[in-house]
Amino acid sequence: MPGSGLVLGRARRERLQVGESETVGPYTLLRLERGSLDPGIPGQFFMLEAPGRVLPRPMSLCQAPPGELAFLIEPVGPGTRALCALEERDAIHVLGPLGNGFDLDVERPLLVAGGIGIAPMPYLSDALGSPPAILGFRSERHAEAAVLLTDAEVVVEPRLVTELLPEDPGDVLACGPEPMLEAIRALVPRTQLAWEAPMACGYGACYGCVVEVDGHYERLCIAGPVLREAA
Amino acid sequence: MPGSGLVLGRARRERLQVGESETVGPYTLLRLERGSLDPGIPGQFFMLEAPGRVLPRPMSLCQAPPGELAFLIEPVGPGTRALCALEERDAIHVLGPLGNGFDLDVERPLLVAGGIGIAPMPYLSDALGSPPAILGFRSERHAEAAVLLTDAEVVVEPRLVTELLPEDPGDVLACGPEPMLEAIRALVPRTQLAWEAPMACGYGACYGCVVEVDGHYERLCIAGPVLREAA
Amino acid sequence: MTVPILNASGCLDALVAPEVARSLDAFVTKTVTPLPREGNPPPRIAETEHGMLNSIGLQNPGVDGFLEHHLPKLASLEVPIWVSVGGFSAGDFAQVCSALDSCDDVATVELNLSCPNVEEAPETSAELVAAARGATSKVLYAKLSPATSDVAESARAVADAGADGLSLVNTIRGLQLDADTLRPQIANGPGGYSGPALRPIALACVYACAAAVDLPIVGMGGVTCGRDALDLVSAGASAVALGTLLFSDPEAPARVRAELEAEVRRRGQGFAAGLRGAAHGSTMSRPASAE
Amino acid sequence: MTVPILNASGCLDALVAPEVARSLDAFVTKTVTPLPREGNPPPRIAETEHGMLNSIGLQNPGVDGFLEHHLPKLASLEVPIWVSVGGFSAGDFAQVCSALDSCDDVATVELNLSCPNVEEAPETSAELVAAARGATSKVLYAKLSPATSDVAESARAVADAGADGLSLVNTIRGLQLDADTLRPQIANGPGGYSGPALRPIALACVYACAAAVDLPIVGMGGVTCGRDALDLVSAGASAVALGTLLFSDPEAPARVRAELEAEVRRRGQGFAAGLRGAAHGSTMSRPASAE
Ligand SMILES: Cc1cc2nc3c(=O)[nH]c(=O)nc-3n(C[C@H](O)[C@H](O)[C@H](O)COP(=O)(O)OP(=O)(O)OC[C@H]3O[C@@H](n4cnc5c(N)ncnc54)[C@H](O)[C@@H]3O)c2cc1C
Ligand SMILES: Cc1cc2nc3c(=O)[nH]c(=O)nc-3n(C[C@H](O)[C@H](O)[C@H](O)COP(=O)(O)OP(=O)(O)OC[C@H]3O[C@@H](n4cnc5c(N)ncnc54)[C@H](O)[C@@H]3O)c2cc1C
Ligand SMILES: Cc1cc2nc3c(=O)[nH]c(=O)nc-3n(C[C@H](O)[C@H](O)[C@H](O)COP(=O)(O)O)c2cc1C
Ligand SMILES: Cc1cc2nc3c(=O)[nH]c(=O)nc-3n(C[C@H](O)[C@H](O)[C@H](O)COP(=O)(O)O)c2cc1C
Ligand code: FES
Ligand code: FES
């Protein structure tokens, strides 16, 4: 059945209606009715149809209120702009949940996010009982998105999240720009880092999203997006 | 200046706002504010931007109320459907008037139109003081468009407009499907027939719209669309 | 008539998406080369306004890895398997083909003669087909590039060299620059252009080849719906493959099949019989079905 | 730097739209052949989803008619005139070039080596260029097709044969079927595909040729705005031509020029100097300006 079949294990594809969108600083919180989709594990992502574009766009689940899936989207190009322009009662195809999320079996979680890397954190924080969090943004306006997490410490550039890392940070669960993730990886022994790569399919079909893992190119959409490291 | 320059002699190109559209049977009467465009001579046409399409679409001017240009459009494909879907306050680029219209210096004009060939007739009828007219349509629903002309004789298929032609029809000014125009040409000595051809540019640039005239391919957009014949 | 719906090579991994593979009439593997390949550095893909670019660079486990680790699992899907074969010389093609020759699980071999993202073999397409033909008795499809001044000529050449069918078309080279840096968005620079923008080009190639040779044709390039599939069949394809479309819609095989059937039904019984090659009127020789 | 904006051959008639021609930095004629040609039967054009097809078939008055009736009027526009030259053999190219050689009003000769809608000459592009080179001392641009597996190779060949510049690219063959009849929408079947869908293909050709030869390049193919022009220049073009865009917007030359200038300004002074070839980083040899 077009638009309602079961594919790719737990992932399903369905046409979902858009509910009320909100702006959160420069971002848009896009609310979709959940349909029969499973919200998945924090850190997993969905492929969202971007109206008028050839390829869908990967988006981490931000919040999972009953009956809804909510995505926090930064308009950086044609696809994200099309998603941010969606209006109530529009409908888009959504496929997911996809990829590997965060392993929630951690003793002392510390959430760290930079910029739009905050997207998966609200859902992750809920799942972990609101652990401490450090958020970094490039402007006060971007930092408005901190309202999505309770009790987070917030830094704004030129200050960096790494400056706030405690001496013994425990298990760092992080999402953000590559330089931030690299810096954390260099400083923290046990991490779960959510990486990004351009993705065409999100389900292992195109080999477009590879990242180097142990000297080999692995598809981030199925090997990640969350990669664990334990030094 | 983009969108407001003078080009191609009397033709101008401007971005015009859409006013209220009406449906007339299966057709849409698209009203545009006139801007600084000249309505031109009946039988001339304009190139209308068809949103989302690569090429504009040629449309005969149907009515020229003060401050407006009105086009009667039959939705037959992607371009005309996009034009019929325009909403009030949308805006499209329009270039015109283009081509050669009807020669109004005729003694006993008789207007003949088939289907969407009625489009140029209201403006032409106004210019000629409401001469007699014969209209043919392929269904009663299409025939609703006859309200656009006062006092026209109307036939619906299987009857054909040629059945109503008087013995001495005078000067026939006609627009309609090719078979109708061919039939009129065979029956009537003095005609002005408005032909159609797929057009990419409408101003002689592409050589796409040629028709055979006296054994040569002539560009209909600049040699026509109205071609005179006197036997 | 039924029109088999396949995936385009490199556009589906049956092992991570077995349900999608099972919705196809045959599964085509990503191109297999003699040795394992890591492929090209990322970023490897970029969306364009009306299509996409890729420069994957034939990442694959090599023929030994494929035979040992992949083929047995693919076989268990119970979908006919087409193996796409690539290489950098006639010897490469012959080597992979002879390794596949004895595998009962391989239904068809598709020769990727036209990847725009790796060095070309020095031999002509016909020479590569001849080398493959000498190495296997499997059904051999030759996959051609649209980037040639006379694709019908290429079709005749590979037909003469022993191809049993054609796959039309591969991607064509394209480039996109980053808005800020004005450097290529893909690490390697240009990539293979696929998707809707390619559709009229693909259709012209199928049309030209169907008139030139009497072989079954898998048509592909920018298919998004049943009407696009219908066009390819009318132009002379006997089967249709979905590529870029699968990235946005893994359920496309069932949908396109249903839409195509509806298109044919709407046109009536008599139409279905003469569907293949309908665009040619009476000028085309009508080859037998693909399967 | 200023980037000259031209029309693409066959996409503007300066005599019926002189204001448009005057808004260009040079006007390129429709292709002129030795003898007059009526061109192909209509319908000759079809819009596709992301571009258009044409099969005009080089309708033109022949070189004698052109010289007698058109050139004098074109000259009065006071815009540099490029004459596009076509033919069906090396002799044809030589004949038209030698007829143009003594015309002071002709600034440049562009050799149309790549029309997809007429029979090809039996000679290679390089042989056609050599024939033209022997017949005229005018500046000679060779216009190449994107339908080749290695356009850089073609570029090197025509450069060696005496071309002074390249025009990249011509259309590529495409097909579209009528929704009802499933027959080709264009009378002759396939047509040349142009417009936005062609843009990444054109960009890749310019990029490859700019790296291969040290010649000025007129870039074209799907340009719709200043950003598209900027991309072509970054890839290595020294001038930009507008084709299909002129059909929907005869005011495009001024607009694209203004948008391009704005794009360059936004990127700052230092950028403008290194603009041509910026996409290549430091790997490209930077040829002199086109004019
Ligand atoms: C697993 C995953 C989860 C994501 N979750 C979110 C989210 O919750 N919210 C959100 O706003 N964004 C998220 N992103 C990023 C988002 O998918 C991209 O911003 C989007 O695809 C860009 O599309 P575009 O058409 O708007 O811009 P494009 O024009 O495609 O890109 C704009 C710029 O971003 C770069 N870019 C594009 N895609 C990526 C990418 N995936 N990684 C890094 N750089 C890229 C381009 O090179 C370009 O410079 C996620 C990405 C991944 C891989
Ligand atoms: C001078 C002129 C004036 C016109 N005036 C009007 C008008 O006032 N109102 C109106 O509704 N239409 C008018 N037309 C026709 C209108 O331009 C076409 O219907 C329109 O371009 C079709 O575009 P589309 O994308 O909707 O359909 P397409 O998909 O382009 O075409 C649908 C069908 O119509 C055929 N077709 C397309 N264009 C033409 C054409 N120009 N002539 C003949 N067949 C064609 C196609 O082959 C196809 O079968 C005029 C045409 C010309 C040349
Ligand atoms: C990401 C990607 C990877 C591809 N890999 C291969 C490949 O390994 N071998 C091959 O023959 N074709 C490959 N192709 C080409 C496709 O099989 C197909 O010929 C092309 O994409 C046109 O079809 P489409 O427009 O439907 O995508 C690939 C295409 C894409 C988009
Ligand atoms: C209707 C039409 C007619 C053309 N005629 C010619 C021609 O006579 N000679 C030529 O060299 N190119 C011709 N071309 C090709 C264009 O010059 C140009 O190379 C091509 O259209 C790509 O540019 P575009 O995408 O901007 O249109 C023609 C193109 C079109 C659309
Ligand atoms: S996005 Fe296609 S394989 Fe990962
Ligand atoms: S429509 Fe372009 S020349 Fe007539």
Side-chain angles (χ1 to χ4, degrees):
Chain A
M1 284 284 85
S4 61
L6 181 65
V7 291
L8 316 170
R10 262 170 62 231
R12 295 177 75 96
R13 181 167 183 269
E14 227 173 85
R15 197 147 178 271
L16 302 184
Q17 270 215 354
V18 176
E20 246 178 296
S21 290
E22 291 167 40
T23 59
V24 184
Y27 309 114
T28 295
L29 187 68
L30 176 71
R31 299 177 179 284
L32 302 177
E33 61 169 38
R34 190 184 287 188
S36 68
L37 267 58
D38 184 324
I41 294 164
Q44 284 193 293
F45 67 96
F46 293 73
M47 294 299 282
L48 272 59
E49 173 187 355
R53 305 302 304 182
V54 174
L55 298 173
R57 296 296 191 273
M59 293 291 153
S60 311
L61 188 65
C62 179
Q63 294 176 337
E68 276 188 17
L69 302 173
F71 299 90
L72 189 72
I73 304 179
E74 177 168 24
V76 297
T80 47
R81 278 197 298 269
L83 285 167
C84 291
L86 284 170
E87 292 178 4
E88 212 174 328
R89 276 186 298 277
D90 287 345
I92 56 169
H93 280 104
V94 177
L95 172 71
L98 296 163
N100 293 309
F102 292 99
D103 179 352
L104 303 179
D105 186 14
V106 284
E107 270 173 35
R108 282 191 304 124
L110 171 63
L111 314 189
V112 181
I116 186 62
I118 192 179
M121 293 302 160
Y123 186 40
L124 177 61
S125 178
D126 278 359
L128 291 173
S130 302
I134 306 173
L135 306 176
F137 294 97
R138 67 174 177 280
S139 79
E140 293 292 346
R141 179 135 181 279
H142 289 83
E144 287 175 37
V147 300
L148 294 169
L149 277 188
T150 38
D151 286 332
E153 286 186 274
V154 177
V155 292
V156 172
E157 278 182 29
R159 296 191 59 207
L160 300 175
V161 289
T162 40
E163 297 174 27
L164 296 191
L165 282 181
E167 204 142 312
D168 172 13
D171 293 277
V172 170
L173 288 68
C175 182
E178 213 170 291
M180 183 194 100
L181 298 183
E182 298 286 6
I184 291 173
R185 178 155 64 173
L187 290 168
V188 181
R190 284 197 317 281
T191 59
Q192 296 184 44
L193 306 179
W195 299 86
E196 276 196 15
M199 292 183 175
C201 71
Y203 68 94
C206 73
Y207 279 81
C209 63
V210 295
V211 295
E212 207 183 305
V213 177
D214 300 332
H216 292 289
Y217 286 140
E218 300 284 350
R219 288 166 286 180
L220 185 68
C221 67
I222 55 175
V226 178
L227 300 178
R228 271 193 105 135
E229 313 231 5
Chain B
M1 282 289 84
S4 61
L6 180 65
V7 289
L8 316 169
R10 264 170 61 230
R12 295 176 76 96
R13 180 166 183 270
E14 228 173 86
R15 195 145 180 272
L16 302 183
Q17 268 214 356
V18 177
E20 245 177 295
S21 290
E22 290 166 40
T23 59
V24 184
Y27 309 114
T28 295
L29 188 68
L30 176 71
R31 299 177 178 286
L32 301 176
E33 61 170 37
R34 191 185 287 188
S36 68
L37 267 59
D38 184 325
I41 294 164
Q44 284 193 293
F45 66 96
F46 293 74
M47 294 298 283
L48 273 60
E49 173 188 354
R53 305 302 304 181
V54 174
L55 298 173
R57 296 296 191 274
M59 293 291 152
S60 311
L61 188 64
C62 180
Q63 294 176 338
E68 275 189 18
L69 301 173
F71 298 90
L72 189 71
I73 304 179
E74 177 168 22
V76 297
T80 47
R81 278 197 297 268
L83 285 167
C84 290
L86 284 169
E87 291 178 5
E88 213 175 328
R89 278 186 295 278
D90 287 345
I92 56 169
H93 280 102
V94 177
L95 172 71
L98 296 162
N100 294 308
F102 292 99
D103 179 353
L104 303 180
D105 186 15
V106 283
E107 269 171 36
R108 281 192 302 125
L110 171 63
L111 313 189
V112 181
I116 186 62
I118 192 180
M121 294 301 160
Y123 186 41
L124 176 61
S125 180
D126 278 359
L128 292 173
S130 300
I134 306 172
L135 306 175
F137 293 98
R138 66 173 177 281
S139 79
E140 293 292 346
R141 180 139 180 275
H142 290 82
E144 288 176 36
V147 300
L148 295 169
L149 278 188
T150 37
D151 286 334
E153 286 188 273
V154 176
V155 292
V156 171
E157 278 182 28
R159 297 191 59 208
L160 300 174
V161 290
T162 40
E163 296 173 27
L164 295 191
L165 283 181
E167 204 144 309
D168 173 11
D171 293 277
V172 169
L173 288 68
C175 183
E178 215 169 289
M180 184 194 98
L181 298 182
E182 299 285 8
I184 292 173
R185 179 155 66 173
L187 290 168
V188 181
R190 286 198 316 281
T191 60
Q192 296 185 43
L193 306 178
W195 299 86
E196 275 197 18
M199 291 183 175
C201 72
Y203 67 96
C206 74
Y207 279 81
C209 64
V210 295
V211 295
E212 207 182 308
V213 177
D214 301 333
H216 292 290
Y217 286 141
E218 300 286 349
R219 287 166 286 181
L220 186 68
C221 67
I222 55 174
V226 178
L227 300 177
R228 272 193 105 136
E229 312 231 4
Chain C
M1 88 175 278
T2 28
V3 176
I5 307 283
L6 287 65
N7 66 298
S9 172
C11 298
L12 186 68
D13 180 346
L15 298 183
V16 301
E19 313 88 323
V20 181
R22 278 197 213 95
S23 74
L24 297 164
D25 296 296
F27 169 73
V28 186
T29 70
K30 185 153 183 62
T31 298
V32 177
T33 53
L35 297 177
R37 288 176 55 85
E38 282 294 329
N40 292 337
R44 292 176 167 185
I45 53 170
E47 190 196 52
T48 67
E49 208 180 340
H50 305 301
M52 67 173 285
L53 303 175
N54 87 79
S55 181
I56 310 300
L58 303 186
Q59 178 168 355
N60 81 91
V63 66
D64 294 342
F66 172 77
L67 290 176
E68 188 177 350
H69 302 297
H70 293 220
L71 187 57
K73 290 185 214 153
L74 289 175
S76 73
L77 296 174
E78 303 196 350
V79 175
I81 294 165
W82 292 35
V83 178
S84 169
V85 169
F88 304 88
S89 68
D92 281 359
F93 279 89
Q95 182 185 335
V96 181
C97 286
S98 81
L100 298 172
D101 190 47
S102 57
C103 301
D104 290 341
D105 294 327
V106 176
T108 299
V109 169
E110 180 178 271
L111 303 174
N112 178 358
L113 306 171
S114 49
C115 180
N117 299 321
V118 297
E119 283 286 298
E120 288 226 330
E123 293 92 348
T124 65
S125 292
E127 288 164 347
L128 300 177
V129 171
R133 179 75 295 162
T136 181
S137 55
K138 296 271 182 210
V139 177
L140 270 188
Y141 273 62
K143 186 165 180 182
L144 301 181
S145 165
T148 164
S149 65
D150 189 351
V151 73
E153 184 52 45
S154 315
R156 274 185 292 262
V158 297
D160 289 346
D164 302 307
L166 301 175
S167 295
L168 301 169
V169 293
N170 213 316
T171 56
I172 187 166
R173 213 168 274 127
L175 180 69
Q176 184 158 262
L177 304 181
D178 182 88
D180 295 322
T181 64
L182 295 178
R183 300 296 304 270
Q185 284 193 335
I186 285 179
N188 261 15
Y193 189 34
S194 65
L198 194 62
R199 199 188 307 136
I201 298 175
L203 199 60
C205 288
V206 170
Y207 186 79
C209 292
V213 298
D214 196 7
L215 294 180
I217 295 173
V218 182
M220 73 194 92
V223 173
T224 63
C225 62
R227 167 70 205 281
D228 297 341
L230 178 69
D231 282 354
L232 283 169
V233 175
S234 305
S238 38
V240 170
L242 311 180
T244 303
L245 178 62
L246 288 172
F247 303 154
S248 62
D249 184 3
E251 295 173 316
R255 173 173 62 82
V256 170
R257 189 182 290 116
E259 289 170 354
L260 174 60
E261 277 164 15
E263 290 276 356
V264 174
R265 223 172 15 247
R266 198 164 62 77
R267 288 174 161 81
Q269 195 83 65
F271 176 77
L275 177 57
R276 188 179 170 207
H280 296 261
S282 54
T283 63
M284 185 190 143
S285 59
R286 298 280 168 72
S289 141
E291 304 307 84
Chain D
M1 85 177 279
T2 28
V3 176
I5 306 283
L6 288 65
N7 66 298
S9 172
C11 298
L12 187 67
D13 180 346
L15 299 183
V16 302
E19 312 89 323
V20 181
R22 279 197 212 95
S23 74
L24 298 164
D25 296 295
F27 169 72
V28 186
T29 70
K30 187 156 182 59
T31 298
V32 177
T33 52
L35 297 177
R37 288 176 55 85
E38 282 294 330
N40 292 337
R44 292 176 166 186
I45 53 170
E47 190 195 54
T48 67
E49 208 180 341
H50 305 299
M52 68 174 284
L53 302 175
N54 87 79
S55 182
I56 310 300
L58 303 185
Q59 179 169 357
N60 81 91
V63 66
D64 294 342
F66 172 76
L67 290 175
E68 187 177 349
H69 301 297
H70 293 219
L71 187 58
K73 290 186 213 152
L74 289 175
S76 73
L77 296 173
E78 304 196 346
V79 175
I81 293 166
W82 292 35
V83 178
S84 169
V85 169
F88 305 89
S89 68
D92 282 359
F93 279 89
Q95 181 185 337
V96 181
C97 286
S98 80
L100 297 172
D101 189 46
S102 57
C103 301
D104 290 342
D105 294 328
V106 176
T108 299
V109 169
E110 180 178 272
L111 303 174
N112 179 356
L113 305 170
S114 49
C115 180
N117 298 320
V118 297
E119 282 287 295
E120 288 227 328
E123 294 92 347
T124 65
S125 292
E127 288 164 347
L128 300 177
V129 171
R133 178 77 296 164
T136 181
S137 56
K138 296 272 182 209
V139 177
L140 270 189
Y141 273 63
K143 185 164 179 183
L144 302 180
S145 165
T148 162
S149 65
D150 189 351
V151 72
E153 184 52 44
S154 314
R156 274 185 291 262
V158 297
D160 289 346
D164 301 308
L166 302 175
S167 294
L168 300 170
V169 295
N170 214 316
T171 56
I172 186 165
R173 211 167 276 127
L175 180 69
Q176 185 158 260
L177 304 181
D178 182 87
D180 295 322
T181 64
L182 295 178
R183 300 296 304 269
Q185 284 193 335
I186 285 180
N188 260 15
Y193 189 36
S194 65
L198 194 63
R199 197 188 307 136
I201 298 174
L203 200 60
C205 288
V206 169
Y207 186 80
C209 292
V213 298
D214 197 8
L215 293 180
I217 295 174
V218 181
M220 74 195 92
V223 173
T224 64
C225 62
R227 168 68 205 282
D228 298 341
L230 179 69
D231 283 354
L232 283 169
V233 175
S234 306
S238 37
V240 169
L242 311 180
T244 303
L245 178 61
L246 288 172
F247 303 155
S248 62
D249 183 4
E251 294 173 317
R255 174 173 61 82
V256 170
R257 189 183 290 115
E259 290 170 353
L260 175 59
E261 278 163 15
E263 290 275 357
V264 173
R265 223 172 17 247
R266 198 164 62 77
R267 289 174 160 82
Q269 194 85 65
F271 176 76
L275 178 56
R276 187 179 170 206
H280 296 261
S282 54
T283 62
M284 186 191 141
S285 60
R286 298 279 169 73
S289 141
E291 306 306 83

